[in-house]
Amino acid sequence: VQLVESGGDLVQPGGSLRLSCAASGFTFSNYYMSWVRQAPGKGLEWVSDINSGGGSGYYAASVKGRFTISRDNAKNTLNLQMNSLKPEDTALYYCVRGGVYDEFDYWGQGTQVTVSS
């Protein structure tokens, strides 16, 4: 199993970023997938998950209405569109196999998002 995130960057408050995760080594379309983040000096925070079929995503209250999770099962990719970014969104963002009520069993290496003026 391999999960490789990309798309992290330095962005100004109010800006947007799109994170992607390329999945391989397993049947991607069979699994819930999540984004989990870790801010500097803080613990892990679940951000969002999406079911195996790519239906509606679920979101932490801190990002609801600003972030949108999606997936392309034909391309084995997971995405996170992040709008109206705030400094408190600064974190290392991980692509994770599993949903919020499942076991998070495989993690990517993370991609850094920094929101600062």
Side-chain angles (χ1 to χ4, degrees):
V1 173
Q2 190 171 18
L3 301 168
V4 180
E5 303 94 336
S6 62
D9 205 346
L10 170 64
V11 63
Q12 293 188 344
S16 297
L17 278 178
R18 183 177 177 86
L19 305 184
S20 293
C21 170
S24 60
F26 65 105
T27 306
F28 181 71
S29 58
N30 285 355
Y31 291 86
Y32 270 72
M33 296 293 297
S34 293
W35 289 98
V36 176
R37 69 185 181 185
Q38 186 167 29
K42 297 191 176 181
L44 294 168
E45 178 189 17
W46 171 80
V47 173
S48 179
D49 71 7
I50 188 168
N51 65 22
S52 58
S56 297
Y58 294 90
Y59 302 91
S62 58
V63 306
K64 194 170 185 179
R66 301 186 297 120
F67 290 11
T68 303
I69 192 171
S70 63
R71 66 191 296 163
D72 185 336
N73 285 344
K75 296 181 178 179
N76 290 353
T77 57
L78 177 72
N79 303 298
L80 186 68
Q81 178 66 41
M82 305 187 296
N83 298 330
S84 303
L85 283 161
K86 304 176 181 180
E88 52 263 44
D89 295 317
T90 295
L92 188 61
Y93 283 73
Y94 296 97
C95 171
V96 184
R97 193 174 80 170
V100 67
Y101 297 113
D102 296 334
E103 176 187 7
F104 290 155
D105 58 358
Y106 287 95
W107 296 64
Q109 83 289 348
T111 187
Q112 179 65 42
V113 172
T114 302
V115 185
S116 175
S117 55

